[in-house]
Amino acid sequence: MASLCNDHTDPFPCSFEEILQRIRFIKPVKYGTTRNYLNGAVTHLSPYISRGVVSTKFVLQEVLKRGHSPESIEKFIQELAWRDYWQQIWISKGTAINTDLKHLQAPIANNAISNAIIESATGIHAIDNAIKAFYQTGYLHNHLRMYIASMACNIAQSHWNIPAKWMYYHLLDADWASNALSWQWVAGSNSNKKYYANQQNINKYCLSQQKHTFIDIPYEAFNTLKIPEVLKNTSIPSLETPLPKQQILTVDESLPICIYNFYNLDPLWKKDLKANRILLLEPSHFQEYPVSKKTIDFIIGLSENIPNIQVYVGSFHQLKTAHPLCEIYYKEHPLNQHYIGIEESRDWMFDVQGYFPSFFGFWKKCKKQLVY
């Protein structure tokens, strides 16, 4: 299966050396002051962190090696910590993150998504242009994600779940915890209030100048805003994952198996161990959490950084049954709980675990482990 990453002009190359180069080019101080702007000094590392190619801990260590003090780049570290925070909630709450976590979202007019959002035809130019680019690149700036989620949930009054699945499907950095919990944060089901952005806010951060739209209103007007006509037609998108055809595996039964998957494509993990290396693509996983062909091609491309890796399309049980003599290693993840073998921890930035109702409760604990 051809990978996505053969074109060197692609905004998200798959070569591990190019990924490391991207880390070297991070401007963490400038990131802290400009990250909310569409042209800000964002890192574009999210697809690699989400796919487990590099960890938040690895990125932080590489940045600190360049002489930055934690105090001078605290906002950058904080944003990395958000990723670990969402993961800790997923570990603690499990499948409960698939439903309204703290409060029931209200009001809800539909359990679908506005066709205008899917078709990039909302009439808000910055949002429509971002969605068009999103389909091409698999990437959305974080502010655009919030704008789209607010439009879908708080203006079109769609329950967050279907729109969140639509966005997850197309994201190269698809991470169900970060995605679902962020959508809930915007919709008010994982926060104490809904998030809104008016046209003035969008113009500021997207460097646009549009006026006279249905969101060109003061913030207090959102409380009485009726669903705009352009957002009323809704549908449930068909989201299916095109997995590659299964190839015959060549397995040395005298060696262990290292399992890689959608959330672990770390080329440095156990690299000195002589082992069978298998990228496990379980159909049941992608039925529950479907992703696009672009995303599948991306992970195939990333897996090519792992020497002699083979792709297996099937269940973990089928793989283990076919090769019962092999010792199996894998990294911990909430979606790996049915794996049987030797589980290894992911690399966390801080030794802070468990559920925290707010990020800042989590961050307060993390910050104590930084040396200022």
Side-chain angles (χ1 to χ4, degrees), residues 25 38 85 127 196 212 262 311 318 328:
F25 286 158
L38 205 58
Y85 172 65
I127 289 177
Y196 288 99
H212 309 301
F262 191 64
V311 178
Q318 289 170 326
I328 294 179

Side-chain angles (χ1 to χ4, degrees), residues 31 86 298 347 354:
Y31 171 91
W86 294 135
F298 183 63
D347 289 332

Side-chain angles (χ1 to χ4, degrees), residues 86-141:
W86 294 135
Q87 288 297 312
Q88 287 297 326
I89 294 179
W90 198 4
I91 291 169
S92 299
K93 297 295 185 179
T95 56
I97 72 167
N98 298 345
T99 58
D100 294 3
L101 194 61
K102 291 182 180 178
H103 315 286
L104 292 178
Q105 180 186 336
I108 294 174
N110 62 83
N111 287 282
I113 181 173
S114 296
N115 292 333
I117 293 176
I118 295 175
E119 296 165 3
S120 57
T122 69
I124 310 302
H125 298 160
I127 289 177
D128 292 341
N129 291 338
I131 293 171
K132 290 173 185 175
F134 177 39
Y135 289 142
Q136 294 178 342
T137 65
Y139 172 78
L140 272 172
H141 185 281

Side-chain angles (χ1 to χ4, degrees), residues 251-259 269-270 273-278 316 319-320 323-330 340-344:
V251 174
D252 185 338
E253 301 283 349
S254 69
L255 298 177
I257 293 175
C258 290
I259 296 289
W269 178 57
K270 305 191 83 66
L273 177 68
K274 193 172 183 181
N276 302 285
R277 302 185 187 275
I278 295 174
F316 177 86
L319 177 64
K320 185 167 178 59
H323 305 286
L325 301 179
C326 293
E327 194 171 53
I328 294 179
Y329 292 90
Y330 62 94
I340 299 171
I342 300 172
E343 180 182 84
E344 299 192 352

Side-chain angles (χ1 to χ4, degrees), residues 11-307:
F12 293 101
C14 291
S15 159
F16 190 55
E17 183 50 46
E18 289 184 89
I19 296 167
L20 293 179
Q21 186 76 344
R22 183 161 292 193
I23 294 173
R24 295 184 195 110
F25 286 158
I26 293 173
K27 298 176 180 177
V29 176
K30 190 175 182 181
Y31 171 91
T33 58
T34 67
R35 66 184 181 83
N36 289 339
Y37 291 87
L38 205 58
N39 64 346
V42 295
T43 67
H44 294 104
L45 287 175
S46 57
Y48 309 116
I49 295 173
S50 296
R51 299 287 64 80
V53 180
V54 292
S55 66
T56 52
K57 180 179 180 179
F58 180 87
V59 173
L60 177 58
Q61 288 176 336
E62 291 300 303
V63 170
L64 291 177
K65 283 179 185 176
R66 288 160 44 190
H68 294 286
S69 68
E71 184 177 20
S72 69
I73 60 169
E74 185 171 303
K75 177 52 68 175
F76 174 77
I77 300 172
Q78 210 173 60
E79 291 303 309
L80 286 175
W82 269 101
R83 294 182 169 276
D84 286 1
Y85 172 65
W86 294 135
Q87 288 297 312
Q88 287 297 326
I89 294 179
W90 198 4
I91 291 169
S92 299
K93 297 295 185 179
T95 56
I97 72 167
N98 298 345
T99 58
D100 294 3
L101 194 61
K102 291 182 180 178
H103 315 286
L104 292 178
Q105 180 186 336
I108 294 174
N110 62 83
N111 287 282
I113 181 173
S114 296
N115 292 333
I117 293 176
I118 295 175
E119 296 165 3
S120 57
T122 69
I124 310 302
H125 298 160
I127 289 177
D128 292 341
N129 291 338
I131 293 171
K132 290 173 185 175
F134 177 39
Y135 289 142
Q136 294 178 342
T137 65
Y139 172 78
L140 272 172
H141 185 281
N142 187 58
H143 253 43
L144 265 305
R145 301 182 197 208
M146 294 165 62
Y147 296 154
I148 293 168
S150 182
M151 180 174 290
C153 299
N154 303 336
I155 299 177
Q157 298 180 16
S158 299
H159 186 267
W160 64 267
N161 188 269
I162 294 298
K165 286 183 175 179
W166 161 79
M167 184 175 284
Y168 177 94
Y169 181 82
H170 294 286
L171 284 169
L172 294 186
D173 65 18
D175 180 309
W176 184 243
S178 293
N179 192 60
L181 293 168
S182 294
W183 274 81
Q184 291 202 51
W185 184 86
V186 169
S189 59
N190 186 35
S191 59
N192 294 324
K193 63 178 181 178
K194 296 175 180 288
Y195 169 83
Y196 288 99
N198 65 10
Q199 188 67 57
Q200 183 181 18
N201 181 292
I202 291 173
N203 286 345
K204 175 181 178 180
Y205 291 109
C206 296
L207 310 178
S208 57
Q209 298 179 340
Q210 192 175 9
K211 296 184 182 298
H212 309 301
T213 67
F214 59 83
I215 56 172
D216 194 7
I217 56 177
Y219 279 99
E220 56 269 22
F222 279 108
N223 293 326
T224 56
L225 180 66
K226 296 186 181 301
I227 301 175
E229 286 296 324
V230 70
L231 300 179
K232 285 186 176 179
N233 291 329
T234 64
S235 61
I236 298 178
S238 176
L239 306 176
E240 297 182 1
T241 303
L243 293 174
K245 292 183 179 180
Q246 176 54 42
Q247 305 295 319
I248 297 174
L249 292 182
T250 302
V251 174
D252 185 338
E253 301 283 349
S254 69
L255 298 177
I257 293 175
C258 290
I259 296 289
Y260 301 81
N261 55 33
F262 191 64
Y263 287 102
N264 173 28
L265 291 168
D266 180 358
L268 302 181
W269 178 57
K270 305 191 83 66
K271 68 174 185 175
D272 295 327
L273 177 68
K274 193 172 183 181
N276 302 285
R277 302 185 187 275
I278 295 174
L279 170 56
L280 177 62
L281 302 178
E282 295 189 278
S284 61
H285 165 90
F286 293 104
Q287 287 169 7
E288 182 71 19
Y289 302 99
V291 297
S292 69
K293 182 180 185 300
K294 182 182 288 293
T295 305
I296 290 295
D297 289 350
F298 183 63
I299 68 169
I300 297 292
L302 291 173
S303 74
E304 293 169 3
N305 292 303
I306 302 164

